[in-house]
Amino acid sequence: MIILKKQQQIGDGLLSASRKRFSGGAGAHIHEFFEIELVLSGSGTCVIDGNTYPMRQGSLFLLTPANTHAVQDADAELINVMFQCDYNGNAFSTVLSGALSSPLFLLEPQEYELMVTFFAELIRVQESNPHYARTLLDCALQRLAEHPRAASDTVLPYIQHALLYITEHFRDGITLADTAAHIGLSATYFSELFAAETGTPFKVYLDNIRFSHAKNLLAFTDIPICRIYEYAGFGDYANFSRRFHRLMGVTPSEYRKKHKTV
């Protein structure tokens, strides 16, 4: 199951927000946007990149375009918000730093009640006042940035925005020059700054995300191998297969046979 970026947006990068009851399961899938799932009541299991997380009241999951996601044995009431990046603020960069290590934020009762208030109002006004709705989402993200699970990120804002851009667009064939242009720096200066701030050259960082995602798709989804290169951001299958074999010591097909769990 593949969920792609929706063509119709509410506005300001907000795709949809809803409160719903979810029963049963959902097979492993991916998407090209960010998603928040806040559990209001009930139980179940989220499986994200092969790791299992219990669903209970106060569980907030932040999913990125680099995650695979499934739900098992659920009977829960949820708030679901799907959105694209807002590169104008830094709060989401801090939240994302925590989400990349673990997508689960366990909210204390006061935090939980505040998040429910933010999202309930967001749902109410999303179509009549999308700018206000986006402001409410940004307020929720700002609050989440203060959570202990959010990393204390000292990376420069330019690089924070670059990391967000890479996370959202890694499968779009982006280059160092594209990313540098997006944040308003020359390619040469950005390349030096990125390596200095992250400890990793841009190309290596981008490849790490793409190969990690490809491994997750092979192990945790039923996407045909001949299509996985597209969803992982590689230009063609032959190049992907050759580089995957060089890196992992096995072909994509052999990797799937060894690690597939679905």
Side-chain angles (χ1 to χ4, degrees):
M1 176 181 178
I2 309 299
I3 303 177
L4 299 178
K5 190 172 296 180
K6 294 187 175 182
Q7 297 299 312
Q8 296 296 323
Q9 297 187 26
I10 296 169
D12 286 325
L14 187 62
L15 300 176
S16 72
S18 62
R19 181 170 179 157
K20 60 186 180 181
R21 189 83 192 180
F22 185 88
S23 297
H29 59 275
I30 60 175
H31 39 69
E32 294 188 340
F33 44 82
F34 295 89
E35 182 176 22
I36 287 174
E37 289 188 351
L38 174 60
V39 182
L40 303 177
S41 64
S43 62
T45 301
C46 273
V47 184
I48 303 171
D49 297 334
N51 299 307
T52 59
Y53 302 90
M55 297 167 62
R56 62 174 178 81
Q57 185 183 77
S59 298
L60 185 149
F61 298 93
L62 175 58
L63 304 166
T64 81
N67 292 130
T68 63
H69 177 216
V71 179
Q72 299 174 346
D73 304 320
D75 183 13
E77 189 173 8
L78 309 168
I79 287 178
N80 177 272
V81 183
M82 296 182 285
F83 61 99
Q84 294 171 291
C85 267
D86 176 5
Y87 298 99
N88 295 321
N90 293 326
F92 190 36
S93 300
T94 304
V95 176
L96 180 65
S97 298
L100 291 177
S101 59
S102 173
L104 173 60
F105 293 77
L106 295 175
L107 304 182
E108 295 297 327
Q110 186 175 5
E111 293 177 301
Y112 166 76
E113 293 297 336
L114 183 59
M115 286 293 180
V116 171
T117 300
F118 280 139
F119 290 136
E121 178 70 355
L122 187 160
I123 292 169
R124 186 184 72 83
V125 303
Q126 59 182 318
E127 294 186 0
S128 61
N129 194 340
H131 179 68
Y132 175 39
R134 181 68 202 214
T135 299
L136 289 163
L137 173 59
D138 291 341
C139 287
L141 292 171
Q142 180 65 58
R143 182 70 180 192
L144 203 59
E146 300 170 9
H147 190 278
R149 276 283 301 107
S152 178
D153 200 343
T154 58
V155 175
L156 290 175
Y158 277 122
I159 302 305
Q160 291 178 351
H161 291 176
L163 296 177
L164 278 175
Y165 182 76
I166 294 167
T167 302
E168 188 167 30
H169 297 285
F170 71 91
R171 60 169 61 95
D172 296 336
I174 60 171
T175 64
L176 184 149
D178 295 331
T179 310
H182 175 77
I183 62 175
L185 297 178
S186 71
T188 300
Y189 179 61
F190 169 69
S191 177
E192 295 173 354
L193 187 64
F194 188 93
E197 288 288 302
T198 66
T200 306
F202 175 88
K203 183 67 166 61
V204 174
Y205 184 91
L206 181 59
D207 278 348
N208 286 344
I209 287 184
R210 287 173 170 168
F211 279 114
S212 177
H213 193 54
K215 289 188 290 183
N216 287 337
L217 295 179
L218 289 166
F220 308 128
T221 78
D222 57 3
I223 298 173
I225 294 176
C226 63
R227 299 292 305 278
I228 281 178
Y229 79 92
E230 297 178 57
Y231 299 115
F234 293 92
D236 61 80
Y237 178 74
N239 175 58
F240 162 65
S241 182
R242 181 174 59 253
R243 294 183 63 198
F244 189 95
H245 186 272
R246 186 186 309 141
L247 178 68
M248 301 301 301
V250 293
T251 66
S253 178
E254 290 168 338
Y255 186 91
R256 170 163 278 182
K257 287 179 182 178
K258 183 176 180 180
H259 296 280
K260 189 168 176 59
T261 61
V262 295

PDB file of all heavy atoms in Angstrom, residues 18-42:
ATOM      1  N   SER A  18      -8.148  15.043  11.064  1.00  0.00           N
ATOM      2  CA  SER A  18      -9.422  14.416  11.393  1.00  0.00           C
ATOM      3  C   SER A  18      -9.319  13.672  12.716  1.00  0.00           C
ATOM      4  O   SER A  18      -8.232  13.307  13.167  1.00  0.00           O
ATOM      5  CB  SER A  18      -9.846  13.432  10.293  1.00  0.00           C
ATOM      6  OG  SER A  18      -8.889  12.391  10.165  1.00  0.00           O
ATOM      7  N   ARG A  19     -10.485  13.476  13.313  1.00  0.00           N
ATOM      8  CA  ARG A  19     -10.617  12.622  14.490  1.00  0.00           C
ATOM      9  C   ARG A  19     -11.395  11.406  14.040  1.00  0.00           C
ATOM     10  O   ARG A  19     -12.441  11.528  13.396  1.00  0.00           O
ATOM     11  CB  ARG A  19     -11.352  13.363  15.603  1.00  0.00           C
ATOM     12  CG  ARG A  19     -11.525  12.568  16.882  1.00  0.00           C
ATOM     13  CD  ARG A  19     -12.033  13.467  18.002  1.00  0.00           C
ATOM     14  NE  ARG A  19     -12.236  12.710  19.236  1.00  0.00           N
ATOM     15  CZ  ARG A  19     -12.236  13.264  20.446  1.00  0.00           C
ATOM     16  NH1 ARG A  19     -12.034  14.570  20.579  1.00  0.00           N
ATOM     17  NH2 ARG A  19     -12.429  12.518  21.524  1.00  0.00           N
ATOM     18  N   LYS A  20     -10.892  10.211  14.360  1.00  0.00           N
ATOM     19  CA  LYS A  20     -11.523   9.022  13.806  1.00  0.00           C
ATOM     20  C   LYS A  20     -11.365   7.833  14.740  1.00  0.00           C
ATOM     21  O   LYS A  20     -10.493   7.817  15.617  1.00  0.00           O
ATOM     22  CB  LYS A  20     -10.899   8.680  12.444  1.00  0.00           C
ATOM     23  CG  LYS A  20      -9.402   8.398  12.500  1.00  0.00           C
ATOM     24  CD  LYS A  20      -8.824   8.201  11.104  1.00  0.00           C
ATOM     25  CE  LYS A  20      -7.324   7.925  11.163  1.00  0.00           C
ATOM     26  NZ  LYS A  20      -6.735   7.761   9.821  1.00  0.00           N
ATOM     27  N   ARG A  21     -12.201   6.854  14.521  1.00  0.00           N
ATOM     28  CA  ARG A  21     -12.094   5.569  15.202  1.00  0.00           C
ATOM     29  C   ARG A  21     -11.456   4.591  14.236  1.00  0.00           C
ATOM     30  O   ARG A  21     -11.842   4.503  13.072  1.00  0.00           O
ATOM     31  CB  ARG A  21     -13.482   5.061  15.599  1.00  0.00           C
ATOM     32  CG  ARG A  21     -13.451   3.838  16.514  1.00  0.00           C
ATOM     33  CD  ARG A  21     -13.264   4.257  17.953  1.00  0.00           C
ATOM     34  NE  ARG A  21     -12.944   3.121  18.813  1.00  0.00           N
ATOM     35  CZ  ARG A  21     -12.740   3.229  20.117  1.00  0.00           C
ATOM     36  NH1 ARG A  21     -12.822   4.420  20.691  1.00  0.00           N
ATOM     37  NH2 ARG A  21     -12.446   2.182  20.848  1.00  0.00           N
ATOM     38  N   PHE A  22     -10.444   3.870  14.694  1.00  0.00           N
ATOM     39  CA  PHE A  22      -9.748   2.920  13.828  1.00  0.00           C
ATOM     40  C   PHE A  22      -9.795   1.548  14.484  1.00  0.00           C
ATOM     41  O   PHE A  22      -9.370   1.374  15.625  1.00  0.00           O
ATOM     42  CB  PHE A  22      -8.292   3.348  13.617  1.00  0.00           C
ATOM     43  CG  PHE A  22      -7.553   2.473  12.642  1.00  0.00           C
ATOM     44  CD1 PHE A  22      -7.582   2.746  11.291  1.00  0.00           C
ATOM     45  CD2 PHE A  22      -6.846   1.363  13.082  1.00  0.00           C
ATOM     46  CE1 PHE A  22      -6.915   1.927  10.385  1.00  0.00           C
ATOM     47  CE2 PHE A  22      -6.176   0.548  12.197  1.00  0.00           C
ATOM     48  CZ  PHE A  22      -6.212   0.828  10.840  1.00  0.00           C
ATOM     49  N   SER A  23     -10.313   0.580  13.735  1.00  0.00           N
ATOM     50  CA  SER A  23     -10.383  -0.796  14.221  1.00  0.00           C
ATOM     51  C   SER A  23      -9.734  -1.729  13.207  1.00  0.00           C
ATOM     52  O   SER A  23      -9.910  -1.556  11.995  1.00  0.00           O
ATOM     53  CB  SER A  23     -11.843  -1.221  14.450  1.00  0.00           C
ATOM     54  OG  SER A  23     -12.445  -0.425  15.446  1.00  0.00           O
ATOM     55  N   GLY A  24      -8.984  -2.694  13.707  1.00  0.00           N
ATOM     56  CA  GLY A  24      -8.337  -3.661  12.823  1.00  0.00           C
ATOM     57  C   GLY A  24      -6.886  -3.329  12.586  1.00  0.00           C
ATOM     58  O   GLY A  24      -6.151  -2.968  13.506  1.00  0.00           O
ATOM     59  N   GLY A  25      -6.474  -3.434  11.337  1.00  0.00           N
ATOM     60  CA  GLY A  25      -5.075  -3.199  11.009  1.00  0.00           C
ATOM     61  C   GLY A  25      -4.921  -2.491   9.681  1.00  0.00           C
ATOM     62  O   GLY A  25      -5.875  -2.336   8.926  1.00  0.00           O
ATOM     63  N   ALA A  26      -3.712  -2.056   9.431  1.00  0.00           N
ATOM     64  CA  ALA A  26      -3.345  -1.442   8.151  1.00  0.00           C
ATOM     65  C   ALA A  26      -1.983  -1.976   7.757  1.00  0.00           C
ATOM     66  O   ALA A  26      -1.048  -1.979   8.580  1.00  0.00           O
ATOM     67  CB  ALA A  26      -3.307   0.082   8.264  1.00  0.00           C
ATOM     68  N   GLY A  27      -1.869  -2.455   6.536  1.00  0.00           N
ATOM     69  CA  GLY A  27      -0.603  -3.007   6.081  1.00  0.00           C
ATOM     70  C   GLY A  27       0.477  -1.954   5.970  1.00  0.00           C
ATOM     71  O   GLY A  27       0.212  -0.745   5.974  1.00  0.00           O
ATOM     72  N   ALA A  28       1.705  -2.412   5.877  1.00  0.00           N
ATOM     73  CA  ALA A  28       2.846  -1.496   5.791  1.00  0.00           C
ATOM     74  C   ALA A  28       2.704  -0.574   4.594  1.00  0.00           C
ATOM     75  O   ALA A  28       2.395  -1.013   3.489  1.00  0.00           O
ATOM     76  CB  ALA A  28       4.148  -2.286   5.701  1.00  0.00           C
ATOM     77  N   HIS A  29       2.923   0.718   4.819  1.00  0.00           N
ATOM     78  CA  HIS A  29       2.793   1.697   3.747  1.00  0.00           C
ATOM     79  C   HIS A  29       3.779   2.840   3.975  1.00  0.00           C
ATOM     80  O   HIS A  29       4.402   2.955   5.025  1.00  0.00           O
ATOM     81  CB  HIS A  29       1.359   2.236   3.669  1.00  0.00           C
ATOM     82  CG  HIS A  29       0.896   2.891   4.933  1.00  0.00           C
ATOM     83  ND1 HIS A  29       0.355   2.186   5.979  1.00  0.00           N
ATOM     84  CD2 HIS A  29       0.877   4.190   5.329  1.00  0.00           C
ATOM     85  CE1 HIS A  29       0.025   3.008   6.962  1.00  0.00           C
ATOM     86  NE2 HIS A  29       0.342   4.242   6.585  1.00  0.00           N
ATOM     87  N   ILE A  30       3.916   3.671   2.978  1.00  0.00           N
ATOM     88  CA  ILE A  30       4.770   4.851   3.039  1.00  0.00           C
ATOM     89  C   ILE A  30       3.976   6.040   2.508  1.00  0.00           C
ATOM     90  O   ILE A  30       2.920   5.866   1.898  1.00  0.00           O
ATOM     91  CB  ILE A  30       6.071   4.682   2.214  1.00  0.00           C
ATOM     92  CG1 ILE A  30       5.744   4.443   0.742  1.00  0.00           C
ATOM     93  CG2 ILE A  30       6.932   3.562   2.769  1.00  0.00           C
ATOM     94  CD1 ILE A  30       6.966   4.388  -0.154  1.00  0.00           C
ATOM     95  N   HIS A  31       4.488   7.224   2.767  1.00  0.00           N
ATOM     96  CA  HIS A  31       3.838   8.420   2.249  1.00  0.00           C
ATOM     97  C   HIS A  31       4.877   9.492   1.997  1.00  0.00           C
ATOM     98  O   HIS A  31       6.022   9.373   2.444  1.00  0.00           O
ATOM     99  CB  HIS A  31       2.758   8.931   3.204  1.00  0.00           C
ATOM    100  CG  HIS A  31       3.128   8.816   4.654  1.00  0.00           C
ATOM    101  ND1 HIS A  31       4.104   9.577   5.242  1.00  0.00           N
ATOM    102  CD2 HIS A  31       2.648   8.004   5.624  1.00  0.00           C
ATOM    103  CE1 HIS A  31       4.195   9.251   6.523  1.00  0.00           C
ATOM    104  NE2 HIS A  31       3.343   8.303   6.789  1.00  0.00           N
ATOM    105  N   GLU A  32       4.486  10.534   1.290  1.00  0.00           N
ATOM    106  CA  GLU A  32       5.423  11.593   0.912  1.00  0.00           C
ATOM    107  C   GLU A  32       5.156  12.874   1.694  1.00  0.00           C
ATOM    108  O   GLU A  32       5.417  13.963   1.197  1.00  0.00           O
ATOM    109  CB  GLU A  32       5.349  11.841  -0.592  1.00  0.00           C
ATOM    110  CG  GLU A  32       5.834  10.652  -1.401  1.00  0.00           C
ATOM    111  CD  GLU A  32       5.945  10.957  -2.879  1.00  0.00           C
ATOM    112  OE1 GLU A  32       5.305  11.925  -3.349  1.00  0.00           O
ATOM    113  OE2 GLU A  32       6.663  10.232  -3.568  1.00  0.00           O
ATOM    114  N   PHE A  33       4.662  12.723   2.898  1.00  0.00           N
ATOM    115  CA  PHE A  33       4.397  13.884   3.750  1.00  0.00           C
ATOM    116  C   PHE A  33       4.630  13.461   5.192  1.00  0.00           C
ATOM    117  O   PHE A  33       4.897  12.291   5.485  1.00  0.00           O
ATOM    118  CB  PHE A  33       2.960  14.390   3.561  1.00  0.00           C
ATOM    119  CG  PHE A  33       1.926  13.299   3.529  1.00  0.00           C
ATOM    120  CD1 PHE A  33       1.432  12.744   4.697  1.00  0.00           C
ATOM    121  CD2 PHE A  33       1.447  12.816   2.313  1.00  0.00           C
ATOM    122  CE1 PHE A  33       0.485  11.729   4.671  1.00  0.00           C
ATOM    123  CE2 PHE A  33       0.497  11.807   2.275  1.00  0.00           C
ATOM    124  CZ  PHE A  33       0.019  11.259   3.463  1.00  0.00           C
ATOM    125  N   PHE A  34       4.537  14.406   6.094  1.00  0.00           N
ATOM    126  CA  PHE A  34       4.662  14.123   7.516  1.00  0.00           C
ATOM    127  C   PHE A  34       3.275  13.846   8.091  1.00  0.00           C
ATOM    128  O   PHE A  34       2.265  14.356   7.600  1.00  0.00           O
ATOM    129  CB  PHE A  34       5.309  15.298   8.244  1.00  0.00           C
ATOM    130  CG  PHE A  34       6.734  15.542   7.825  1.00  0.00           C
ATOM    131  CD1 PHE A  34       7.028  16.379   6.759  1.00  0.00           C
ATOM    132  CD2 PHE A  34       7.778  14.914   8.486  1.00  0.00           C
ATOM    133  CE1 PHE A  34       8.332  16.597   6.355  1.00  0.00           C
ATOM    134  CE2 PHE A  34       9.097  15.123   8.093  1.00  0.00           C
ATOM    135  CZ  PHE A  34       9.382  15.968   7.031  1.00  0.00           C
ATOM    136  N   GLU A  35       3.244  13.035   9.142  1.00  0.00           N
ATOM    137  CA  GLU A  35       1.971  12.641   9.726  1.00  0.00           C
ATOM    138  C   GLU A  35       2.101  12.558  11.241  1.00  0.00           C
ATOM    139  O   GLU A  35       3.086  12.032  11.764  1.00  0.00           O
ATOM    140  CB  GLU A  35       1.532  11.289   9.166  1.00  0.00           C
ATOM    141  CG  GLU A  35       0.194  10.799   9.671  1.00  0.00           C
ATOM    142  CD  GLU A  35      -0.228   9.495   9.007  1.00  0.00           C
ATOM    143  OE1 GLU A  35       0.651   8.762   8.480  1.00  0.00           O
ATOM    144  OE2 GLU A  35      -1.426   9.203   9.014  1.00  0.00           O
ATOM    145  N   ILE A  36       1.110  13.090  11.931  1.00  0.00           N
ATOM    146  CA  ILE A  36       1.002  12.942  13.385  1.00  0.00           C
ATOM    147  C   ILE A  36      -0.208  12.072  13.676  1.00  0.00           C
ATOM    148  O   ILE A  36      -1.283  12.285  13.118  1.00  0.00           O
ATOM    149  CB  ILE A  36       0.849  14.307  14.077  1.00  0.00           C
ATOM    150  CG1 ILE A  36       2.185  15.068  14.059  1.00  0.00           C
ATOM    151  CG2 ILE A  36       0.372  14.135  15.520  1.00  0.00           C
ATOM    152  CD1 ILE A  36       2.083  16.481  14.603  1.00  0.00           C
ATOM    153  N   GLU A  37      -0.025  11.099  14.542  1.00  0.00           N
ATOM    154  CA  GLU A  37      -1.136  10.310  15.054  1.00  0.00           C
ATOM    155  C   GLU A  37      -1.102  10.408  16.576  1.00  0.00           C
ATOM    156  O   GLU A  37      -0.126   9.992  17.207  1.00  0.00           O
ATOM    157  CB  GLU A  37      -1.045   8.848  14.605  1.00  0.00           C
ATOM    158  CG  GLU A  37      -1.334   8.646  13.129  1.00  0.00           C
ATOM    159  CD  GLU A  37      -1.427   7.182  12.735  1.00  0.00           C
ATOM    160  OE1 GLU A  37      -1.091   6.319  13.582  1.00  0.00           O
ATOM    161  OE2 GLU A  37      -1.819   6.902  11.598  1.00  0.00           O
ATOM    162  N   LEU A  38      -2.149  10.962  17.148  1.00  0.00           N
ATOM    163  CA  LEU A  38      -2.273  11.092  18.594  1.00  0.00           C
ATOM    164  C   LEU A  38      -3.379  10.155  19.064  1.00  0.00           C
ATOM    165  O   LEU A  38      -4.520  10.253  18.620  1.00  0.00           O
ATOM    166  CB  LEU A  38      -2.615  12.529  18.984  1.00  0.00           C
ATOM    167  CG  LEU A  38      -2.908  12.789  20.464  1.00  0.00           C
ATOM    168  CD1 LEU A  38      -1.707  12.426  21.335  1.00  0.00           C
ATOM    169  CD2 LEU A  38      -3.310  14.243  20.688  1.00  0.00           C
ATOM    170  N   VAL A  39      -3.017   9.223  19.952  1.00  0.00           N
ATOM    171  CA  VAL A  39      -3.986   8.247  20.447  1.00  0.00           C
ATOM    172  C   VAL A  39      -4.790   8.868  21.586  1.00  0.00           C
ATOM    173  O   VAL A  39      -4.228   9.302  22.595  1.00  0.00           O
ATOM    174  CB  VAL A  39      -3.277   6.966  20.932  1.00  0.00           C
ATOM    175  CG1 VAL A  39      -4.317   5.944  21.409  1.00  0.00           C
ATOM    176  CG2 VAL A  39      -2.425   6.369  19.808  1.00  0.00           C
ATOM    177  N   LEU A  40      -6.120   8.893  21.414  1.00  0.00           N
ATOM    178  CA  LEU A  40      -7.021   9.455  22.412  1.00  0.00           C
ATOM    179  C   LEU A  40      -7.518   8.400  23.397  1.00  0.00           C
ATOM    180  O   LEU A  40      -7.719   8.686  24.587  1.00  0.00           O
ATOM    181  CB  LEU A  40      -8.220  10.115  21.728  1.00  0.00           C
ATOM    182  CG  LEU A  40      -7.902  11.217  20.713  1.00  0.00           C
ATOM    183  CD1 LEU A  40      -9.187  11.714  20.068  1.00  0.00           C
ATOM    184  CD2 LEU A  40      -7.154  12.366  21.372  1.00  0.00           C
ATOM    185  N   SER A  41      -7.732   7.192  22.895  1.00  0.00           N
ATOM    186  CA  SER A  41      -8.207   6.099  23.748  1.00  0.00           C
ATOM    187  C   SER A  41      -8.007   4.792  22.999  1.00  0.00           C
ATOM    188  O   SER A  41      -7.756   4.781  21.791  1.00  0.00           O
ATOM    189  CB  SER A  41      -9.686   6.278  24.114  1.00  0.00           C
ATOM    190  OG  SER A  41     -10.498   6.212  22.954  1.00  0.00           O
ATOM    191  N   GLY A  42      -8.131   3.693  23.726  1.00  0.00           N
ATOM    192  CA  GLY A  42      -8.032   2.386  23.094  1.00  0.00           C
ATOM    193  C   GLY A  42      -6.620   1.844  23.088  1.00  0.00           C
ATOM    194  O   GLY A  42      -5.741   2.297  23.831  1.00  0.00           O
TER     195      GLY A  42
END
